[in-house]
């Protein structure tokens, strides 16, 4: 066993030995069989490898054969700790001129020039460098150039070579100031010769495609579904490398900010007994003979944590929605960022947290993720988000003020209904024009359009102590003060047509002393989508789930 | 609407007014009804409240009635932003002597002394302070003392008073150097008069119960199931406040360490098409007409992220196991901490990360969570975990060495089988005795006892490039180098009796160029359980799910 069958089939043909140099009695047939295979493999391996660098070479007349070739699987099974250092492609720099470096990356493109030169662009985590292979006596053979040009794209290679600084910047790689003159080239793992999508195609912007069309050239456009079917390849584009690193950073700043404000990170169950409060749009399953469903949000349990004296909590975890929404902004499974906190007097305490939290996130992305934002912008050009920085508080408008702005712009909306996506977008435009921000809070929503557990306003129960937050005219956060008094909660549920018996656990949670509290929920994928003005939430979910997709 | 029915039933009897001072046409019946209710409520509220501090008082002859009473719900619906500051109970200190403070907390205990004095212990997030109410002319009335003594335990109160420093330390509160002389006392939210469990009972240690028994006194012992049934109350004990803050810290350090090492945080789907690789122990559900299941681990998807060029990834998220395990260490849903990373040469690169990561976590808990550890230790006494600190690398033994140590201690185990829980615990004792550490790595497990995707050892395929990590003799981490070559992976699957067709997506993931890689998985709840030497994993899960429990 233990080697790629297609590459070294001889392994299974070598001699069989009995016994074991481990001096152990093998207790299982499996173990004994494996031991025999080991012996075979050892013999095959020692026959095939010679050099310290442990590389198999094509049989042939080339005396320089040790400088290139396919690495045997056996040599990738944790055989040695050599102490060799690999340099990251991202970190290659002109100051390293004349240094010998070892890099591991993928073959992005190979361009032979005659039989004596080949250019190999090697990519590592979205960064690329041009590596040059030139036939030189006693260093690089024509066989080696042939080996290089035979490599399939996306194969993993180890390249050893000297860093040089080209006279003109390299245009075909992100490393424009340096090249590597290859002295050794080993293939660590081979990709299949024909890929379902090419990375260059997947990384192409619409602008490029259209500019080429104007010149009469038809470039490949990879559609969304194909990308998602081959997500492993699609993920490798610089834009996607950027998107998911930004997502990681959003989550990180979210956590760090909240921890610094005294919040506790919690985990609440996703498996919920009975049927969830949400009604039809839940995924149901059998839990050891009991009916169960997947949590649509951690609403109940995060409120329980507040009643359990944690004061301020947050949770980052999956949220499941079985809705048949086929929009650019809905998924059946997404990452919820949920917050719940005691409030002393006013739901503005929650809005204050939202305000400072998101400004901190935006500042951090702009300051620390420049490379990632640039990579995204090259494929999907976008304008930086306009928001109030520094001491200026985030804009807060009441729902009534929003309705009034729309009215003045000639758009009549129901003052006690909800805004539809179109009105929200229009209001976003009006707000951006009037106030110069694409990030704002709309609060005091009509009570009728909020969940039953939303606290009504003290002075007008047609409105509620609730808010939505918008980025570029799209809703990104929903929050509110909650009803913390069980009798009133039951009354509100009844008024909303909910059978109180079905939510008795929820209501009972508030019978043992419940502090006034509020909170909000955000979708991680939506934050990244809207910050980067992407057109589809599937672009910001690593493996999106929608009503038609549950793979890969 | 809008007020606690049981407390202010008169609200629904007041006059009804038409129209709206908002000058808006109400578009929904619901809104109109709410508006009428608002008017009723407003009238009732203005009749009931007078003082700026907005507190309802018992009708009666007491001229000091404004200093105490139940807060009306209307005054808790975000009525004002007064600018008042609440002081945290945790932060009260002798330096604040003579200052007037406002605190919000729960009534933990009330002890009247005659009719003129009452001691109220107020608790906030596990910290308690003794507050004293003494009848004084023109300040505190006998009515007020009566009001205080009528408060139900666990009710939320606002206490205003002067900080004093008692002559002798207070023994019945965590704040032993300060008291608060109450001048105002308002009940923000009432708990039901009879609680299903008392916090003092839930917070009691076994030692206390046994010591009392020796004196012939029978104290209440709250069993695990009752605790979990009333988790909201159980959560409020100082030990539980500590446990879940420690859990939050473990997760935080896990993330921060990995981010600092170039890892990217990802989120992979929990809804998986078809049936998971795990076989029978999965939760199945219907996904829009397609068979689906809940992910038993992010194994496949985290490896795909590595093949997708993220280099080093981690994920923190729920993991679902439908196994019928009724042990102290298994749950049907827990929080998985998963790591996957490219390796250059050797699986020791993964063990190096585990080593430094966990030592960093332990150091951080010991250094930054002293209060929490003490709180846990008071209820569940434990010895600090013994591990190698500083420059000394974490102990690494091979499986063979472990088997040998057991053998020398007279315990024969199958050298190519797995260790059972008992052998693991015994080995933990032997290791602790010989090496002075309760945290160590056991590596090179027999291949036969690891999943098919585990890389066999280069020199002996009866063993594998895998490891488990132990804390106090219990397995906490499982990790390995993975097979990254698709043909060999298929072969290994076949050898393990797996139908290769059922895992073709997984195998295909490695066809487009796959770097050598490895990783590991940890259960968050287990880390906390074993670090604190707790005896049941249900103690470290906020809302545990086991084969018999899916509530609350």
């Amino acid at each position: 066993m233990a080697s790629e069958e297609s590459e070294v089939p001889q392994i299974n043909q070598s001699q069989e030995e009995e016994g074991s140099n481990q001096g152990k009695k093998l207790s299982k047939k499996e173990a004994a069989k494996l031991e025999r295979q080991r012996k075979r493999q050892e013999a095959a391996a020692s026959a095939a490898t010679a050099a310290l660098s442990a590389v198999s070479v094509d049989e042939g007349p080339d005396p320089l054969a040790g400088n290139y070739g396919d690495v045997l699987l056996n040599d990738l099974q944790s055989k040695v700790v050599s102490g060799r250092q690999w340099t990251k492609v991202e970190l290659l720099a002109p100051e390293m001129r004349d240094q010998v470096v070892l890099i591991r990356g993928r073959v992005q493109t190979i361009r032979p020039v005659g039989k004596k030169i080949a250019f190999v662009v090697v990519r590592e985590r979205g960064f690329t460098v041009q590596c040059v292979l030139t036939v030189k006596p006693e260093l690089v053979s024509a066989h080696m150039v042939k080996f290089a040009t035979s490599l399939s794209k996306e194969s993993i290679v180890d390249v050893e070579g000297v860093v040089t600084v080209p006279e003109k910047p390299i245009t075909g790689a992100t490393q424009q100031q340096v090249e590597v003159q290859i002295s050794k080239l080993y293939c660590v793992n081979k990709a299949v010769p024909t890929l379902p999508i090419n990375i260059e195609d997947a990384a192409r912007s619409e602008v490029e495609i259209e500019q080429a069309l104007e010149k009469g050239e038809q470039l490949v456009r990879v559609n969304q579904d194909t990308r998602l079917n081959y997500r492993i390849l699609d993920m490798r584009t610089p834009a996607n490398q950027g998107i998911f690193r930004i997502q990681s950073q959003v989550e990180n700043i979210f956590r760090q900010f909240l921890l610094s404000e005294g919040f506790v990170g919690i985990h609440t169950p996703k498996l919920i007994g009975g049927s969830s409060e949400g009604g039809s749009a839940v995924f149901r399953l059998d839990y050891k003979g009991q009916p169960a469903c997947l949590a649509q949000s951690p609403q109940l349990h995060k409120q329980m944590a507040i009643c359990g004296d944690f004061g301020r909590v947050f949770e980052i975890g999956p949220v499941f929605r079985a809705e048949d929404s086929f929009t650019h902004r809905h998924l059946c499974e997404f990452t919820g960022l949920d917050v719940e906190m005691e409030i002393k007097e006013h739901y503005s305490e929650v809005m204050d947290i939202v305000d400072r939290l998101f400004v901190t996130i935006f500042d951090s992305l702009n300051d620390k993720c420049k490379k990632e934002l640039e990579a995204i912008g090259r494929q999907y050009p976008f304008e930086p988000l306009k928001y109030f920085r520094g001491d200026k508080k985030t804009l807060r408008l009441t729902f009534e003020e929003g309705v009034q702005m729309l009215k003045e712009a000639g758009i009549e909306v129901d003052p006690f209904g909800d805004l539809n996506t179109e009105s929200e977008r229009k209001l976003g435009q009006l707000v951006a024009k009037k106030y110069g921000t694409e990030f704002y809070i709309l609060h005091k929503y009509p009570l009728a359009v909020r969940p039953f557990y939303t606290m009504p306003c003290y002075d007008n129960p047609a409105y509620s102590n609730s808010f939505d937050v918008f980025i570029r005219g799209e809703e990104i956060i929903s929050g509110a003060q909650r009803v913390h008094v069980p009798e009133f909660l039951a009354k509100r549920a009844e008024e909303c047509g909910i059978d109180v018996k079905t939510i008795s656990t929820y209501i009972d949670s508030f019978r043992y002393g419940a502090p006034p509290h509020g909170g909000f929920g955000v979708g991680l994928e939506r934050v990244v989508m809207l910050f980067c003005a992407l057109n589809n939430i599937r672009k910001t979910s690593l493996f999106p789930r929608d009503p038609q997709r549950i793979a890969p």
Side-chain angles (χ1 to χ4, degrees), chain A:
Chain A
M1 77 179 325
S3 224
E4 284 189 68
E5 289 178 81
S6 59
E7 287 177 21
V8 256
Q10 78 280 11
I11 274 186
N12 290 325
Q13 298 158 13
S14 51
Q15 81 277 14
E16 193 172 323
E17 282 181 25
E18 273 187 29
S20 161
N21 56 8
Q22 306 284 326
K24 295 205 166 298
K25 196 180 149 197
L26 297 188
S27 63
K28 290 174 187 292
K29 278 190 182 176
E30 172 71 4
K33 185 178 154 208
L34 291 172
E35 178 61 13
R36 286 195 300 276
Q37 287 176 328
R38 182 185 72 78
K39 290 285 167 190
R40 282 190 216 119
Q41 177 196 19
E42 229 173 48
S46 63
T49 63
L52 184 75
S53 62
V55 166
S56 77
V57 298
D58 296 348
E59 310 281 326
D62 188 0
L64 297 171
N67 290 346
Y68 60 93
D70 294 334
V71 182
L72 274 184
L73 175 58
N74 185 254
D75 295 314
L76 297 168
Q77 287 178 264
S78 301
K79 196 169 190 173
V80 286
V81 180
S82 69
R84 290 181 295 171
Q85 294 294 319
W86 278 257
T87 303
K88 284 187 180 153
V89 170
E90 181 184 358
L91 301 180
L92 292 170
E95 300 81 67
M96 299 163 86
R97 181 200 289 250
D98 297 335
Q99 286 180 25
V100 174
V101 293
L102 174 62
I103 58 178
R104 179 170 291 177
R106 292 182 186 280
V107 173
Q108 174 154 301
T109 57
I110 306 153
R111 185 163 55 89
V113 178
K115 288 189 172 178
K116 298 201 166 174
I117 299 178
F119 294 95
V120 183
V121 173
V122 174
R123 191 186 73 243
E124 186 190 27
R125 302 185 201 175
F127 297 92
T128 46
V129 64
Q130 178 163 286
C131 303
V132 189
L133 194 58
T134 314
V135 171
K136 282 180 204 152
E138 288 174 40
L139 282 171
V140 173
S141 64
H143 274 91
M144 183 165 172
V145 175
K146 195 179 166 194
F147 168 77
T149 55
S150 75
L151 288 168
S152 51
K153 283 187 187 181
E154 296 300 306
S155 293
I156 308 273
V157 290
D158 270 354
V159 173
E160 197 178 288
V162 174
V163 176
T164 56
V165 177
E167 285 180 18
K168 288 181 190 170
I170 310 291
T171 54
T174 62
Q175 287 292 358
Q176 307 200 328
Q177 311 300 326
V178 291
E179 284 184 321
V180 174
Q181 305 300 321
I182 302 174
S183 52
K184 292 183 180 173
L185 177 65
Y186 306 115
C187 182
V188 173
N189 187 267
K190 277 183 183 171
V192 290
T194 308
L195 298 169
I197 52 177
N198 286 313
I199 307 303
E200 305 106 291
D201 295 335
R204 195 167 284 137
S205 71
E206 277 298 308
V207 175
E208 263 181 279
I209 293 173
E210 277 157 31
Q211 282 173 350
L213 256 188
E214 282 168 22
K215 295 179 202 158
E217 197 186 347
Q218 182 97 40
L219 295 178
V220 172
R221 175 188 278 124
V222 184
N223 75 32
Q224 186 72 52
D225 253 12
T226 308
R227 287 177 189 280
L228 296 179
N229 290 339
Y230 299 101
R231 192 58 155 168
I232 287 183
L233 287 160
D234 184 44
M235 258 186 236
R236 299 176 188 171
T237 63
N240 278 338
Q241 290 286 313
I243 285 170
F244 293 101
R245 281 161 205 273
I246 292 241
Q247 189 173 87
S248 176
Q249 179 71 354
V250 169
E251 178 174 347
N252 186 39
I253 304 299
F254 181 90
R255 292 180 56 91
Q256 292 313 307
F257 177 87
L258 292 174
L259 288 170
S260 75
E261 296 277 334
F263 285 77
V264 180
I266 60 170
H267 293 280
T268 68
K270 306 308 152 205
L271 290 166
I272 307 291
S275 48
S276 181
E277 78 267 22
S280 62
V282 298
F283 289 107
R284 297 180 191 288
L285 72 157
D286 173 80
Y287 186 92
K288 307 281 172 194
Q290 297 177 59
C293 61
L294 295 177
Q296 288 185 295
S297 89
Q299 188 63 36
L300 164 60
H301 289 95
K302 71 179 180 174
Q303 288 189 257
M304 285 170 85
I306 295 303
C307 294
D309 281 2
F310 286 100
R312 307 180 132 192
V313 299
F314 69 90
E315 175 165 18
I316 298 174
V319 165
F320 305 93
R321 305 276 164 93
E323 286 154 31
D324 279 323
S325 297
F326 289 94
T327 76
H328 74 288
R329 47 187 266 121
H330 290 95
L331 291 172
C332 290
E333 178 179 348
F334 62 89
T335 303
L337 309 176
D338 267 275
V339 169
E340 202 71 20
M341 57 189 270
E342 289 181 10
I343 63 180
K344 297 299 185 197
E345 294 187 319
H346 202 283
Y347 70 98
S348 60
E349 295 163 37
V350 183
M351 296 195 294
D352 290 344
I353 290 286
V354 168
D355 181 346
R356 290 187 295 119
L357 167 60
F358 276 81
V359 169
T360 304
I361 289 174
F362 301 153
D363 283 352
S364 155
L365 293 181
N366 285 324
D367 295 346
K368 292 182 191 158
C369 299
K370 288 193 204 310
K371 276 185 186 176
E372 288 81 1
L373 291 171
E374 279 166 22
I376 298 167
R378 276 194 296 275
Q379 183 165 3
Y380 307 111
F382 68 99
E383 289 295 314
L385 180 72
K386 292 194 190 82
Y387 63 100
F388 294 167
R389 301 186 78 157
D391 291 339
K392 201 172 166 189
K393 262 188 148 181
T394 293
L395 179 68
R396 296 177 195 189
L397 298 171
T398 63
F399 186 83
E400 275 189 283
E401 288 168 335
V403 168
Q404 186 61 30
M405 281 178 74
L406 285 168
K407 193 176 181 181
E408 284 164 15
I411 298 155
E412 285 289 340
V413 297
D414 180 351
F416 291 94
D418 210 348
L419 298 178
N420 61 25
T421 307
E422 200 188 330
S423 310
E424 286 178 347
R425 200 165 281 167
K426 183 66 193 170
L427 184 56
Q429 288 164 5
L430 295 171
V431 168
K433 199 172 169 193
K434 185 168 176 184
Y435 298 99
T437 180
E438 294 168 311
F439 174 66
Y440 74 99
I441 301 174
L442 196 66
H443 66 116
K444 279 205 174 192
Y445 269 69
L447 183 65
V449 302
R450 308 298 284 205
F452 73 95
Y453 50 76
T454 308
M455 185 67 93
C457 285
Y458 79 97
D459 58 349
N460 185 349
Y463 290 103
S464 62
N465 294 341
S466 63
F467 60 90
D468 276 7
V469 183
F470 294 85
I471 296 183
R472 301 187 199 263
E474 292 198 38
E475 182 258 310
I476 194 160
I477 300 171
S478 220
Q481 182 182 358
R482 325 296 187 184
V483 176
H484 64 282
V485 178
E487 297 79 7
F488 183 45
L489 191 57
K491 185 158 170 262
R492 283 293 303 136
E494 264 174 35
E495 285 169 359
C496 292
I498 294 165
D499 183 356
V500 174
K501 284 194 294 289
T502 63
I503 54 165
S504 62
T505 309
Y506 180 66
I507 293 175
D508 287 347
S509 306
F510 304 98
R511 298 197 192 279
Y512 311 123
H517 63 284
F520 60 92
V522 194
L524 176 59
E525 293 83 355
R526 251 186 221 184
V527 176
V528 179
M529 172 177 85
L530 293 172
F531 185 81
C532 299
L534 295 166
N535 64 359
N536 196 314
I537 199 151
R538 290 161 187 79
K539 287 195 168 71
T540 58
S541 173
L542 208 47
F543 298 100
R545 295 293 183 249
D546 67 29
Q548 293 182 331
R549 176 176 289 281
I550 192 174

